[in-house]
């Protein structure tokens, strides 16, 4: 099974009949997200190609730590970013951990390998409340129902791009008189998100618009689908909207609103967190709401707080308090 020269990952989902393919299928299908499965498959295939080229006569069953160190060095010399290298090593480590559980290998050769330090090259921009209102004004004037619903959902819930793409209509539900949406979040978490009235109205308008296009969305269908395909019929539009289309939507309406800084779906998430905290929300509740395991992550997203103006030194009982 583990002779890397005989492994064909493309056959895994198509023909999980033979024992080796069953194991491959079990590993990849354990991830719910299609995007995650694709990333893991590409990362592991990349290591297979390196291993086959550099250690031709050896089997992956005998892969040792120095093989993985050699791979990491090769990636560094190839000018891969620290983030990409860490992701590839994490994918590989998860795969060998799986093989250990199946008793194909005794140890995980990725264990203990130092990862390159990640340096944030560019901070995520967020918007002030006034800038969001400015953006909404541009959206309300010229956006299609699809574009409006997408942007309102991003800023009204703080969900990630992948989470929005994977939404189904059945994820919308009313609970105790409140409209909510269930989100399959990072790390396999299930989040139940409250939908503000503005978001509910934008979704209703979008669904009505789709009905008018004779493209009614069923419960099991993707909630947000492409609006058109100039080369194929409507039946080819029943699929999730593309990530690049969402990036285009952000660029378009920020430009129309006169917002010059680079704003992305991740910016909408940072804006959601910052606005919630600025307006009195408890940081622990915000962290839980957006699916953060640690409030330190939530604090990192909050770009708005002026730490000097929030300093506890301003509230000491033995000095005159300053505004």
């Amino acid at each position: 099974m583990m002779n890397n020269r005989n492994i064909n990952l493309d056959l895994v989902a198509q023909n999980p009949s033979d024992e080796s393919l069953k194991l491959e299928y079990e590993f990849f299908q354990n991830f719910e997200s299609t995007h995650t499965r694709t990333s893991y498959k590409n990362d592991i295939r990349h290591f297979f190609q390196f291993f086959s080229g550099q250690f031709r006569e050896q089997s992956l069953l005998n892969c040792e730590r120095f093989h993985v160190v050699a791979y990491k060095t090769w990636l560094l010399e190839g000018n891969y970013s620290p983030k990409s290298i860490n992701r590839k090593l994490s994918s590989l480590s998860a795969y060998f951990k799986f093989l250990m559980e199946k008793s194909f290998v005794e140890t995980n050769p990725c264990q203990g390998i130092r990862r390159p330090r990640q340096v944030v090259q560019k901070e995520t921009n967020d918007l002030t409340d006034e800038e969001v209102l400015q953006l909404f004004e541009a959206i309300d004037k010229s956006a299609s129902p699809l574009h409006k619903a997408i942007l309102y959902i991003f800023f009204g819930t703080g969900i990630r791009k992948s989470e929005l793409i994977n939404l189904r209509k059945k994820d919308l539900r009313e609970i105790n008189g409140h409209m909510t949406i269930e989100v399959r979040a990072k790390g396999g978490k299930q989040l139940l998100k409250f939908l503000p009235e503005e978001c509910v109205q934008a979704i209703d308008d979008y669904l009505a618009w789709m009905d008018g296009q004779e493209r009614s969305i069923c419960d099991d269908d993707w909630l947000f689908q492409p609006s058109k395909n100039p080369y194929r019929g409507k039946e080819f539009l029943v699929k999730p909207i593309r990530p690049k289309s969402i990036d285009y939507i952000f660029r378009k309406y920020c430009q129309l609103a006169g917002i010059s800084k680079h704003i992305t779906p991740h910016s909408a998430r940072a804006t959601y967190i910052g606005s919630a905290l600025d307006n009195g929300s408890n940081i622990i509740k915000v962290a839980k709401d957006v699916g953060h395991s640690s409030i330190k992550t939530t604090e990192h997203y909050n770009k708005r707080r002026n730490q000097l103006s929030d300093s506890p030194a301003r509230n000491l009982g033995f000095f005159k308090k300053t505004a």
Side-chain angles (χ1 to χ4, degrees), residues 161-203:
K161 179 163 65 173
S162 61
E163 294 165 358
L164 180 133
I165 288 172
N166 288 317
L167 288 175
R168 308 259 183 179
K169 186 183 178 184
K170 65 183 178 183
D171 294 326
L172 291 167
R173 63 189 66 179
E174 184 175 342
I175 299 178
N176 297 327
H178 302 291
M179 284 303 299
T180 66
I181 194 161
E182 187 173 5
V183 177
R184 288 167 289 283
K186 190 176 180 180
K189 298 174 184 176
Q190 295 289 122
L191 303 179
L192 190 65
K193 304 284 294 183
F194 168 78
L195 287 176
E197 290 183 12
E198 294 83 354
C199 293
V200 175
Q201 186 61 57
I203 292 174

Side-chain angles (χ1 to χ4, degrees), residues 227-245:
S227 59
K228 60 184 177 180
N229 185 327
Y231 306 108
R232 306 183 110 174
K234 292 180 180 179
E235 65 272 18
F236 292 97
L237 296 175
V238 184
K239 59 183 179 181
I241 193 166
R242 297 171 64 230
K244 288 184 178 180
S245 297

